[in-house]
Amino acid sequence: MHIIVFMKPVPTEINLPYSPRGTLLRDSSSWNVNPEDVCALEAALLLKDTNKNVKVTIITMSYQKGKALLYEGLAKGADHAIFIHDPLFSESDTRATAQILSKVLSGLNYDLIFCGYRSADAGTSSLPFRISEGLNLPILSNVTDLSCNQKNIYAISHVNYGYVETETTLPCVVSFHKDANHPRLPNMRLLSSVYDYPVETFTDKDLKLDITDMGWSGSALHVEEIFSPVLTKKGYIIDDTEKDAVDRLYIQLKQDHIL
């Protein structure tokens, strides 16, 4: 069984640098692995722990410094690493990113594609669904626990304020909830040797994508404005009997055009 795991570098700062177009200048910020992608990697490694026939490949599409996160994944026990990097891929939104990742995946044999439910920077949760749609694969979303065999996968997914049990066939896409499991630390013995590992690299010369499928030109989402919300009104406290407080709150909400 071959499991692909997407790992995305996300910024760790509060005040993030942006380009004039409103896109994040990722190469100018410090980063960490997206927490939910770490949960996805741990789920793959847990399956590998109990089945010697499981192979785990980690993939990141990022700026040059982001390549380092692949070594962290290898030090945890991943078997192979793929780095997708090209200046033409910068400023890609989830649509363009899905096009690029799907092109890479089209040349690979896999049984499962793991990733986080959403990223800590954008948080749209749309990438797993775009990958699923682009590759015509079923998807299990926001998964907290799973088990699988060579043909089927069984999962428990977080839905609103409850959980739902689902089942589908392989291959499929699985996105993981932030509390899916407790990720392991890198193995120090592996960490001392992984930097000599030959990471496979893909650029646009390898993928030969159309310009409308990548970067700014391939992105459907363009940022109009970036600003910090300003609190214009203070809250209010209604000190009254229960019934009168409800009546006064209703009137106040009407006056504030909330209702």
Side-chain angles (χ1 to χ4, degrees), residues 80-236:
H80 185 55
I82 295 176
F83 181 49
I84 306 171
H85 171 73
D86 195 298
L88 293 173
F89 298 160
S90 63
E91 299 185 307
S92 292
D93 70 352
T94 54
R95 176 189 180 275
T97 298
Q99 296 277 11
I100 297 167
L101 292 175
S102 296
K103 187 63 180 292
V104 173
L105 291 170
S106 66
L108 302 176
N109 293 317
Y110 54 83
D111 300 285
L112 291 165
I113 299 170
F114 285 3
C115 59
Y117 175 65
R118 58 190 167 194
S119 62
D121 50 2
T124 64
S125 307
S126 63
L127 182 63
F129 294 96
R130 289 186 180 275
I131 295 292
S132 169
E133 180 181 6
L135 298 175
N136 194 27
L137 296 175
I139 181 170
L140 300 175
S141 179
N142 217 13
V143 168
T144 59
D145 193 17
L146 63 77
S147 62
C148 66
N149 53 39
Q150 296 298 323
K151 295 182 179 180
N152 299 292
I153 181 168
Y154 311 87
I156 298 175
S157 299
H158 182 75
V159 180
N160 294 329
Y161 297 102
Y163 295 87
V164 61
E165 296 184 15
T166 51
E167 174 187 351
T168 190
T169 55
L170 304 183
C172 75
V173 179
V174 184
S175 70
F176 285 87
H177 187 268
K178 61 182 178 67
D179 298 327
N181 45 56
H182 184 69
R184 69 192 68 188
L185 296 174
N187 183 295
M188 295 306 296
R189 179 181 58 80
L190 291 175
L191 190 61
S192 63
S193 60
V194 295
Y195 287 96
D196 295 325
Y197 185 89
V199 172
E200 187 176 3
T201 301
F202 285 89
T203 67
D204 187 51
K205 291 182 179 180
D206 304 300
L207 302 179
K208 297 180 174 58
L209 289 160
D210 189 277
I211 191 65
T212 59
D213 288 332
M214 58 184 176
W216 180 261
S217 299
S219 297
L221 176 64
H222 291 167
V223 178
E224 292 291 334
E225 184 181 2
I226 298 174
F227 63 93
S228 297
V230 178
L231 184 62
T232 56
K233 284 189 176 181
K234 293 183 178 180
Y236 38 81

